[in-house]
Amino acid sequence: MAEKAIDDLMLENRKFPPSAAFKKTSLVTGTELYDEGNEDYQSFWARQASELVTWDKDWDTVCEWNLPYAKWFLGGQLNVSYNCLDRHVLAGRGDKVAFYWEGEPGESRVITYQQLLDEVSKFANSLKSLGVEKGDRVNIYLPMIPEAAVAMLACARIGAAHSVVFGGFSSQSLSDRINDAEAKVLITADGGYRRGEVFPLKPQADEAIATTPSIEKVVVVRRGNNPVDMKAGRDHWYHDLIDAASSDCPAEPMDSEQLLFLLYTSGTTGKPKGIMHTTGGYLTQVAFTHKYVFDLNPDKDIYWCTADVGWVTGHSYIVYGPLANGATSVMYEGVPNYPANDRFWSIIEKYKVSIFYTAPTAIRTFMKWGDQEPAKHDLSSLRLLGSVGEPINPEAWMWYHEHIGRGNCPIVDTWWQTETGGIMISPLPGATTLKPGSATFALPGIGMEVVDDECHHVEKGGGYLTLTQPWPAMLRGIWKDPERYQDAYWSRFEGRYFAGDGCKLDDDGYIWLLGRVDDVMNVSGHRISTTEVESALVSHPAVAEAAVVGANDATTGQAIMAYVILRTGFDVTESDLRNHVAKEIGAIAKPKAIFFTPDLPKTRSGKIMRRLLRDVAEGRNLGDTTTLADANVVSELQRRAAETPSED
Ligand code: 7RM
């Protein structure tokens, strides 16, 4: 028998079946979708494609699978922007609100489907007037303002692929991404709001495009009102273009496999990968998952996903999924703690949000800030909560359930990646009994198998998460780098996609994500996941957030080092926490050292950067820190590491 891929230490027994009240209005309460997906996944997706998407021309072939390349709905034609806008207006829903936009300083804008269609059409005409043609790439570098969605949809309308770069990225990251994509046009803003202040974007963009020969034109949205230089002939104000443009821009049918967007992921090493997503399959899966995972009732629900449009979550679950389904969404520009730590809860109360989708990093931060913040607000409009981005620790799940959901809302823990395009593993909230911290099961139509090092089936316990069959929203490759595509995703296990994540299956077949396999620690021959030790730490009432890493150790191979953020008003000793971990999951998982810290190094989308913590723990100089949200955090940790605590 192969050596165990990852140990299984934690046992979580709490169960939350869907309530009778939730089931009463839920879209799915039984196993019918799973049965259909198991029977024949291609027919299953074909049915979703015809029910959820409007096609200009039917497809001939559902799926062509030449490993590792899939094509979906070949021969079919459709336009994504038509699906997100025109068809709702044509059906008489033009006055329906698409977005309630909330600016960080407090202003709001209400945008109906008709208004969004007009604006997108005008901007699509503007892009054409700037020379953008079908097949071109357009870069988008904007704050969280409605114009970001307008720009994406305008590109989709005319068949140009967008490449959105998060507004918090540096000019160097922007220029690298523009050059890789060879984008013709850059859409940016003067600046945006963050934590009560205007951060400049146009000056960064100017710096970036000094080294991007492909950029011919720049469009600038006015938002921050900060002074900017406009270069005559090259730079255009967005509002001038819109004022001059016609709102008549018929959506052009695109081939199902037309490139819809590139989205760059930083990966662990080397240059960012331009993940390619196309049209028909992508739209089918994001519409399906947005509808069924969030149990959407487009006539009643107010949906809010707190991600930034610069991340895949923003692409799939702020823009394309919700708009394809004709949903009403909230879009918020700023940070959760401006002007105070209860901003999110005041937004939920103000717009009567019923579906709320956020990340574990945010939830743990809210735990740290204290129960009193959500308690100040009426959150009774909520009926469903979601989580994405990292494993959600069982205690963070319980806190979210109790203090935000007030015990009444199911939580959908959704596992997926930039590469998968849409949600892959998640409960269906009217059908699945939840366990706190488990993403539960693969969705209908998705082929998932846990395997060991030798690619043998794992029935129970730890292993590697693999995907065994193509899915409609899967990446179509890495832009200009087919070899890297093959190596990065299809080489570890023959014939399957390996996501890089470890997970385990419990007695009931529930999936528990255990983090990236590169982070798994090897302590005296035991393969211990960072997630389980972190969850054990977070289960102590004094702990809000924890990150653990394995550092080289002469006796045990690696030793567990833990970095812990305490909840406001709580205190605990190191040895109490070590004993707590031993009691929760076993003595082998007891951290050798625990460092208390006010903050942790995170990527700008909120994922803990364990690689940097390993550098700190092993006393190395820091590697690449350019993707960090706040670089000061690590230098502070290094300072603290110099005063290494003792072991008991
Ligand atoms: C959507 C997104 C992908 C990686 C993925 C995992 C981790 C995401 C969950 C999760 C446990 C989850 N795209 N991840 N969701 N881990 N439970 N529900 O985050 O490309 O930025 O990251 O994120 O490691 O491989 S991403």
Side-chain angles (χ1 to χ4, degrees):
M1 203 189 95
E3 193 189 319
K4 256 201 234 148
I6 306 170
D7 286 4
D8 170 6
L9 302 174
M10 188 132 182
L11 186 65
E12 172 59 63
N13 272 327
R14 289 169 286 195
K15 286 187 185 160
F16 294 83
S19 70
F22 192 89
K23 279 180 117 150
K24 219 161 99 188
T25 61
S26 183
L27 294 173
V28 185
T29 55
T31 62
E32 56 286 354
L33 286 179
Y34 294 99
D35 298 340
E36 189 189 340
N38 284 337
E39 177 105 357
D40 177 353
Y41 73 93
Q42 295 195 7
S43 314
F44 170 83
W45 286 115
R47 183 170 77 82
Q48 298 308 329
S50 58
E51 281 182 15
L52 301 173
V53 174
T54 302
W55 297 80
D56 295 295
K57 181 170 168 286
D58 284 342
W59 60 84
D60 311 308
T61 311
V62 175
C63 176
E64 186 191 279
W65 180 217
N66 287 317
L67 198 132
Y69 292 99
K71 292 181 177 169
W72 283 83
F73 310 117
L74 271 176
Q77 291 194 326
L78 72 159
N79 184 289
V80 166
S81 118
Y82 177 92
N83 272 274
C84 289
L85 304 168
D86 307 58
R87 62 169 174 161
H88 305 312
V89 173
L90 290 169
R93 294 191 294 269
D95 291 337
K96 193 172 171 197
V97 175
F99 288 114
Y100 289 108
W101 177 79
E102 168 102 349
E104 196 190 68
E107 70 271 55
S108 6
R109 280 167 68 184
V110 181
I111 301 161
T112 65
Y113 275 90
Q114 178 70 63
Q115 289 167 335
L116 194 57
L117 171 59
D118 288 348
E119 182 100 352
V120 167
S121 301
K122 286 182 182 179
F123 194 53
N125 279 328
S126 310
L127 289 176
K128 282 196 212 164
S129 75
L130 297 177
V132 178
E133 289 169 11
K134 184 171 168 179
D136 287 342
R137 271 85 52 215
V138 170
N139 252 88
I140 299 177
Y141 185 57
L142 285 173
M144 278 292 286
I145 52 178
E147 287 78 3
V150 171
M152 292 162 77
L153 291 160
C155 289
R157 198 162 186 88
I158 62 175
H162 55 70
S163 167
V164 183
V165 176
F166 172 55
F169 274 142
S170 65
S171 55
Q172 185 62 52
S173 316
L174 176 60
S175 127
D176 290 347
R177 287 160 174 77
I178 290 174
N179 284 331
D180 191 70
E182 295 169 281
K184 216 181 198 175
V185 167
L186 171 64
I187 304 163
T188 186
D190 49 1
Y193 280 88
R194 206 183 151 76
R195 215 159 267 128
E197 276 164 38
V198 172
F199 64 94
L201 279 171
K202 177 65 163 63
Q204 306 264 70
D206 284 336
E207 209 178 306
I209 53 184
T211 55
T212 58
S214 62
I215 293 288
E216 293 168 11
K217 302 282 180 191
V218 178
V219 180
V220 186
V221 181
R222 183 173 278 154
R223 168 60 188 150
N225 285 306
N226 48 315
V228 295
D229 295 330
M230 296 291 279
K231 186 170 164 187
R234 186 195 69 184
D235 300 354
H236 300 264
W237 284 106
Y238 174 89
H239 54 262
D240 289 340
L241 293 170
I242 292 283
D243 285 348
S246 150
S247 61
D248 181 27
C249 179
E252 205 191 310
M254 301 293 158
D255 287 337
S256 181
E257 284 297 332
Q258 168 84 17
L259 187 66
L260 180 64
F261 64 84
L262 297 177
L263 185 58
Y264 286 83
T265 65
S266 14
T268 42
T269 51
K271 84 183 225 294
K273 303 183 281 224
I275 303 299
M276 296 163 69
H277 283 290
T278 61
T279 299
Y282 173 79
L283 193 66
T284 298
Q285 189 170 337
V286 298
F288 170 78
T289 49
H290 182 259
K291 176 173 175 175
Y292 290 102
V293 169
F294 297 109
D295 191 42
L296 183 75
N297 180 338
D299 295 327
K300 290 204 177 130
D301 283 313
I302 306 290
Y303 164 86
W304 181 22
C305 166
T306 69
D308 189 282
V309 283
W311 311 120
V312 72
T313 309
H315 284 58
S316 300
Y317 299 107
I318 292 178
V319 180
Y320 293 118
L323 293 175
N325 289 331
T328 295
S329 297
V330 169
M331 185 194 256
Y332 171 56
E333 179 183 40
V335 296
N337 54 349
Y338 184 85
N341 289 354
D342 63 341
R343 183 62 182 274
F344 275 18
W345 321 127
S346 84
I347 292 175
I348 290 178
E349 184 171 5
K350 175 171 174 185
Y351 295 101
K352 302 199 161 32
V353 171
S354 58
I355 305 172
F356 178 65
Y357 190 31
T358 195
T361 179
I363 297 165
R364 292 182 304 243
T365 304
F366 300 139
M367 286 171 72
K368 178 174 79 177
W369 289 342
D371 307 350
Q372 76 287 350
E373 298 301 331
K376 292 175 191 162
H377 294 276
D378 176 4
L379 304 181
S380 59
S381 55
L382 288 171
R383 65 178 201 93
L384 179 66
L385 303 174
S387 170
V388 60
E390 286 181 296
I392 177 165
N393 319 104
E395 264 356 282
W397 194 103
M398 290 302 298
W399 187 89
Y400 196 27
H401 191 257
E402 201 172 310
H403 294 278
I404 309 305
R406 311 273 154 93
N408 291 320
C409 305
I411 299 175
V412 287
D413 174 8
T414 62
W415 179 90
W416 58 295
Q417 305 178 295
T418 303
E419 292 86 342
T420 69
I423 299 170
M424 304 292 281
I425 302 176
S426 167
L428 292 180
T432 313
T433 291
L434 308 171
K435 297 191 188 186
S438 169
T440 72
F441 306 103
L443 286 177
I446 300 300
M448 195 273 322
E449 189 180 16
V450 182
V451 298
D452 65 17
D453 281 284
E454 269 122 60
C455 204
H456 295 133
H457 175 80
V458 168
E459 188 68 29
K460 178 176 152 29
Y464 305 105
L465 196 167
T466 69
L467 300 170
T468 55
Q469 69 203 24
W471 61 100
M474 76 183 253
L475 74 169
R476 299 306 196 258
I478 296 175
W479 183 247
K480 295 195 299 197
D481 203 345
E483 240 165 82
R484 195 167 173 202
Y485 173 59
Q486 170 79 44
D487 284 359
Y489 306 109
W490 302 92
S491 61
R492 176 68 178 83
F493 299 109
E494 172 90 43
R496 11 171 123 222
Y497 176 92
F498 174 47
D501 283 359
C503 69
K504 68 177 191 183
L505 293 170
D506 72 12
D507 285 333
D508 303 322
Y510 279 66
I511 301 162
W512 300 78
L513 273 303
L514 295 178
R516 310 290 300 169
V517 295
D518 314 333
D519 292 333
V520 170
M521 302 171 290
N522 194 331
V523 183
S524 308
H526 296 268
R527 307 261 296 144
I528 300 175
S529 92
T530 52
T531 303
E532 292 204 314
V533 183
E534 288 162 6
S535 289
L537 286 163
V538 174
S539 76
H540 190 285
V543 176
E545 176 145 33
V548 308
V549 294
N552 284 331
D553 185 274
T555 24
T556 55
Q558 281 188 319
I560 301 177
M561 302 294 188
Y563 298 81
V564 166
I565 302 180
L566 294 181
R567 293 173 73 164
T568 311
F570 283 85
D571 213 356
V572 67
T573 66
E574 235 191 285
S575 92
D576 277 351
L577 280 186
R578 279 209 290 270
N579 292 334
H580 180 75
V581 172
K583 176 170 74 69
E584 289 292 309
I585 58 175
I588 185 70
K590 208 164 152 174
K592 178 175 177 188
I594 293 179
F595 302 88
F596 294 102
T597 166
D599 233 323
L600 287 167
K602 290 188 183 161
T603 66
R604 290 166 204 255
S605 65
K607 297 189 209 297
I608 296 172
M609 284 184 78
R610 294 183 188 73
R611 177 177 59 77
L612 287 180
L613 291 174
R614 257 190 319 265
D615 289 344
V616 172
E618 296 179 349
R620 255 192 314 280
N621 281 334
L622 296 184
D624 183 12
T625 56
T626 53
T627 54
L628 264 184
D630 174 6
N632 297 324
V633 174
V634 235
S635 32
E636 175 61 16
L637 283 171
Q638 280 178 311
R639 199 187 55 75
R640 286 166 192 245
E643 318 152 2
T644 308
S646 61
E647 220 179 328
D648 59 18

